[in-house]
Amino acid sequence: MFQQPIAPVGGSLGWSALVAALPLLLLFVLLGVFRVRAWLASLIGLVASLVVALAVYGMPGDQAFSSAAEGIAFGLFPAMWIVVNAIWIYRMTVTSGHFDVLRRSFASVSDDFRVQAIIIAFAFGALLEALAGFGAPVAICAVMLVALGLPPLKAAAVALVANTAPVAYGAVALPVITLSRITGLPLDDVAVMTGRQVPLLAVIVPFVLLGLVDGKRGLREAWPAALVGGVGFGVAQCLMAHFGPIQLADIVASLVSAGAVLLLLRSWRPAGGSRSLGDDEQVLTVAPGGGPGTAHVGAGDRRSEVVRAFGPYGVIILLFAVAALPPVAAALGSVTKSFAWPGVHVLTAEGKPLSLATFKFDWLANSGTILFIAGLLTIAILGLTVPEAVRTYGRTLRQLAGAIVTVVSVLGLAYVLNLSGQTATLGQFLAGAGAAFALLSPVLGWFGTAVTGSDTSSNSLFGLLQVSAAQHAGMSPLLAAAGNTTGGVLGKMLSPQNLAIGASAVGLAGREGDLLRKVLVATLIFLPLMCLLVYLQSTPVLGWMVP
């Protein structure tokens, strides 16, 4: 039995935290400074975490490597099982030609890239996040934007930044449900408190997307679309968090957002210019309606083909809605297997066992399995043959090979950090800020998601720690817990696996470092605002917002 040390470096929490952070710092320096490929940087970070666990924290070798193996297993299932099946469905629409129908349908709504970014990356991407999450919205929306004519690097950056506001309630509200289970706080309270933070992001994100696509001119000419789309999403998400089934929060919000923009476009069109690109990108043509846009849209597709193009996503919504029904959910969950991961016997510094040592194999209730079933139905909807679908699955696996290595390496790293005690050291160091911890609470969630690529994983890692630190700092535990998941949504755009997924989806594998620098500005805008909001909610100024 291994008991985690909190301050193994000379009894100093500060020095211990610095050493514990080295694997993460190494990972981000390799990515952002030296432009090392994400899969290689992640493997190096995993090795570094093992070295620190063995040499500094005194973790037995068999347990350290077994911890890494558990993280790798989690990366394969459920994380990549979800992503692979979601991308498989998308690639089948490409194989059948229905992706072009889908693209033309979106293009016919508006010939302006800035509006398309809001409708596709923000609204449609939020719908995909609500249904699947784990990188699928980034890959699908980035490819769709490239198909419409947006340059690859810009398309991937737009998709990553757009994938923020829906994350807390993504994958059918899995992050907030997990946070409630980890902390023991009532789910309704966690959902409501989170719903009083993340909708603010929903209002701001579309404006940042306009800036990414077209700079100041985009903000000046297309701001009504950003305002209507963002406010529509934020209000719907907030209302669903308070009064509706939280599993449907992002689904309703995405549909309201898209509907609001479509209504606006019936009486308003943005002014346009001739180009919206940087020096390193191709020049766009001017769309017939004026402004940066795609080439001329065709005469139109038959209604039956448009229905078939949207059919796979309708099937996904239907299957998830059915799976969320209590009797069905209970039946699916009845075959879930949970077992102690072999070779991991870890106690916290307080002598308590860690729940991460238990592996949950929910093979039937998993979102990836539901997506796989949707994929089987998609074969019939799109009129593909079984051999075509199988070949498409193989191409999907080859396309995502680098992303798979990145994901499993980073999650292996995360499990080593958490089970060896490195995460606990870093968390306690931040919690030592006392009353100022309210400012740092979102940073901790951001950090967890940036490492694992999942707000759910970040809540698993730091949720209980946030509650404990808040109690010592005299802060509301509920506020700290919500601050973790809200801050976490901002780290997703920087996580190595999401960078790898976005880059590989648009044919830029190996340029994850360029993509990181592209989205870094957005994080520097969002994170301070969220830290300030949580801090004000911990004071009488906005304390009335805490249930």
Side-chain angles (χ1 to χ4, degrees), residues 472-532:
H472 286 92
M475 175 183 169
S476 165
L478 179 61
L479 175 59
N484 191 86
T485 195
T486 304
V489 307
L490 304 176
K492 195 166 184 179
M493 70 180 79
L494 297 176
S495 63
Q497 57 267 49
N498 281 290
L499 290 170
I501 289 170
S504 62
V506 297
L508 295 178
R511 294 187 62 185
E512 292 86 1
D514 293 335
L515 192 53
L516 172 63
R517 286 186 290 276
K518 194 85 171 176
V519 301
L520 192 58
V521 174
T523 293
L524 296 178
I525 293 173
F526 293 142
L527 188 56
L529 287 175
M530 195 49 58
C531 290
L532 179 61

Side-chain angles (χ1 to χ4, degrees), residues 389-482:
V390 172
R391 287 193 295 270
T392 302
Y393 205 100
R395 289 194 295 269
T396 301
L397 289 173
R398 288 193 294 272
Q399 176 196 359
L400 294 176
I404 291 172
V405 174
T406 302
V407 169
V408 299
S409 298
V410 169
L411 283 168
L413 181 155
Y415 269 68
V416 171
L417 291 180
N418 192 64
L419 290 169
S420 67
Q422 296 174 66
T423 297
T425 297
L426 290 167
Q428 287 204 18
F429 178 74
L430 288 175
F437 178 70
L439 280 171
L440 299 176
S441 177
V443 177
L444 196 57
W446 168 86
F447 169 76
T449 304
V451 173
T452 65
S454 165
D455 196 30
T456 300
S457 298
S458 178
N459 290 340
S460 298
L461 290 172
F462 295 133
L464 192 58
L465 178 62
Q466 292 266 18
V467 169
S468 175
Q471 290 170 338
H472 286 92
M475 175 183 169
S476 165
L478 179 61
L479 175 59

Side-chain angles (χ1 to χ4, degrees), residues 2-8 13 57 346-354 418-421 424-425 428:
F2 169 70
Q3 186 166 1
Q4 296 175 339
I6 294 299
L13 183 61
Y57 280 75
V346 179
L347 296 176
T348 65
E350 294 79 22
K352 299 178 180 179
L354 279 175
N418 192 64
L419 290 169
S420 67
T425 297
Q428 287 204 18

Side-chain angles (χ1 to χ4, degrees), residues 6 22 34 67 72 79 107 112 130 149 158 163 209 212 218 241 297 318 334 347 363 377 387 421 436 494 497 500 521:
I6 294 299
L22 288 178
F34 294 102
S67 299
I72 290 171
D112 192 289
V158 167
N163 189 222
L209 298 183
L212 280 172
V297 180
L318 178 62
S334 64
L347 296 176
W363 63 276
L377 295 174
L494 297 176
Q497 57 267 49
V521 174

